[in-house]
Amino acid sequence: MKAFLILEDGTVFTGTSIGSTKDMISEIVFNTSMTGYLEVLTDPSYAGQAVVMTYPLIGNYGITPDMESRKAWPDGYIVRELSRMPSNFRCEGTIQDFLKEQDIPGIAGIDTRALTKILREKGTMNGMITTNENYNLDEILPKLKAYTVGDVVSKVTCDEKYVLEGNGPKVALMDFGAKKNIAKSLNERGCEVTVYPAGTKAEEIIASEPDGIMLSNGPGDPETCVSIIEEIKKLYNTDIPIFAICLGHQLMALANGAKTYKLKYGHRGGNHPVKDLTNNRVYISSQNHGYAVDGTSIDPKVAKEAFINVNDGTNEGLAYEGKNIFTVQFHPEACPGPLDSGYLFDRFMDMMKGAK
């Protein structure tokens, strides 16, 4: 069956329908990872977006037990070619069947390189995937321009708190759309991890007397998380060590008077170099974000830049003055991506031990 990807600038790509055949309008973003497509599909940070995979062949090892959350979150999936015969000893099915089960519409057989060049040159834009060959651009384009991602954190967070048992420090993990490997990375280091829904009040977290607090990744525009930012302000005013990743990093910055802004086309993939300003070493990182903290808006008495992006100089992390708080824009838990920055979890462990 034919499918069409229509961008808000009027560009149309024609390909083959994969997954669900329903019409979809979403923000179109691209990911440069060469592997880890299942982790990308199940990363809650993609809620409200349709993902273009720049690597030309997707699905060659099928669906494996590597899901980063309970379901797939992107609104749509866009690839050059889907593997017809997946081969892997862990393979449990095909990506085609997975997309149908998850009710995610997609399109294959288009020039994803040309599409990515458009998104890089013009910036991220909205688009539609449809199987309707009689589509009307005059009707569709206004709808595309009017689309907004809106509140997606409430859709991806857990419904109620739960605990991963451990014999070490007690960590409260705020779930704004947390990937499973964040809790797993802490749990493997002996931590007892209690995962809390995004709307949990700071008073409940503080009353549980955690040794540390983790603020997770998540989707959407950080400035829309007004009530969550107010709770983070209360957590900041305690002496509890805090480590934040991605959206959590942005929310902590906003809670302390900094500003965020939307990047032209974001950072999404497993090959982004970041420089640790404490030791001048460069690490290759996994990233997935469309917004960034404005480094010039940070009060130097509150925090200093700890990491920067080597490619474009954007802020990639903050260390808070006089506080046991550090935050990073990238994903030290990876999945998918390199494990170069996994040492940051060890830094958090040392911070919690030092606070005792």
Side-chain angles (χ1 to χ4, degrees), residues 49-348:
Q49 298 174 328
V51 184
V52 182
M53 300 301 293
T54 63
Y55 191 71
L57 179 64
I58 298 296
N60 54 312
Y61 53 87
I63 298 299
T64 55
D66 298 314
M67 292 178 65
E68 278 299 298
S69 64
R70 65 185 183 275
K71 56 169 283 188
W73 291 104
D75 291 335
Y77 203 53
I78 303 160
V79 300
R80 175 70 184 91
E81 180 182 355
L82 271 186
S83 173
R84 290 168 295 174
M85 297 177 63
S87 177
N88 186 278
F89 73 99
R90 300 166 72 234
C91 178
E92 298 176 346
T94 68
I95 196 167
Q96 293 94 323
D97 290 340
F98 181 74
L99 291 172
K100 289 178 181 176
E101 291 166 7
Q102 299 287 319
D103 196 29
I104 296 175
I107 184 170
I110 69 167
D111 188 342
T112 50
R113 184 175 183 180
L115 173 57
T116 301
K117 288 178 72 174
I118 291 172
L119 297 177
R120 281 180 60 92
E121 290 166 6
K122 297 186 177 181
T124 296
M125 63 180 82
N126 297 333
M128 168 185 267
I129 295 175
T130 181
T131 56
N132 179 10
E133 295 189 34
N134 299 314
Y135 62 83
N136 187 324
L137 282 181
D138 292 334
E139 293 179 1
I140 291 173
L141 295 184
K143 294 179 181 179
L144 297 184
K145 290 174 182 176
Y147 173 82
T148 57
V149 173
D151 173 24
V152 275
V153 170
S154 62
K155 295 180 182 178
V156 300
T157 189
C158 57
D159 295 325
E160 55 186 25
K161 72 176 182 180
Y162 61 93
V163 180
L164 278 70
E165 298 293 342
N167 298 317
K170 292 169 55 182
V171 177
L173 170 57
M174 295 295 294
D175 178 12
F176 306 135
K179 291 160 63 182
K180 282 185 178 179
N181 208 42
I182 293 179
K184 183 181 177 184
S185 295
L186 293 166
N187 201 226
E188 286 178 344
R189 288 167 171 81
C191 295
E192 177 184 293
V193 183
T194 303
V195 183
Y196 290 88
T200 304
K201 296 295 183 183
E203 289 80 5
E204 180 179 347
I205 304 291
I206 296 166
S208 69
E209 299 183 345
D211 296 304
I213 298 172
M214 187 95 211
L215 307 181
S216 84
N217 64 292
D221 181 348
E223 291 186 358
T224 64
C225 301
V226 178
S227 60
I228 295 173
I229 292 169
E230 290 304 310
E231 299 307 313
I232 290 176
K233 287 179 181 178
K234 299 173 189 175
L235 298 176
Y236 172 84
N237 287 323
T238 68
D239 293 324
I240 304 170
I242 299 176
F243 179 24
I245 292 172
C246 198
L247 179 64
H249 155 75
Q250 297 165 1
L251 296 178
M252 178 59 77
L254 289 169
N256 283 280
K259 296 178 181 178
T260 57
Y261 63 98
K262 189 170 186 176
L263 295 165
K264 185 177 180 181
Y265 48 80
H267 299 153
R268 297 176 182 88
N271 55 354
H272 291 264
V274 295
K275 185 176 183 179
D276 186 337
L277 299 180
T278 62
N279 58 20
N280 286 325
R281 291 188 64 179
V282 173
Y283 300 91
I284 303 302
S285 69
S286 175
Q287 301 206 10
N288 174 15
H289 62 103
Y291 292 82
V293 173
D294 181 353
T296 65
S297 69
I298 302 159
D299 183 345
K301 295 178 182 177
V302 175
K304 62 182 179 182
E305 286 195 293
F307 289 87
I308 59 169
N309 188 294
V310 177
N311 288 336
D312 60 16
T314 53
N315 177 264
E316 291 281 0
L318 294 169
Y320 286 78
E321 299 289 344
K323 291 282 187 177
N324 284 323
I325 300 174
F326 72 99
T327 68
V328 293
Q329 180 63 75
F330 51 95
H331 287 265
E333 84 288 348
C335 281
L339 302 174
D340 294 30
S341 55
Y343 72 94
L344 293 173
F345 285 99
D346 298 321
R347 182 183 293 181
F348 184 46

Side-chain angles (χ1 to χ4, degrees), residues 3-44:
F4 307 90
L5 171 64
I6 304 167
L7 301 181
E8 67 176 274
D9 69 348
T11 303
V12 179
F13 290 87
T14 302
T16 303
S17 174
I18 56 175
S20 170
T21 56
K22 69 181 182 182
D23 286 355
M24 174 232 71
I25 294 177
S26 192
E27 183 179 63
I28 312 298
V29 301
F30 64 87
N31 184 294
T32 58
S33 296
M34 295 175 68
T35 185
Y37 52 80
L38 183 58
E39 291 92 333
V40 169
L41 277 167
T42 54
D43 181 347

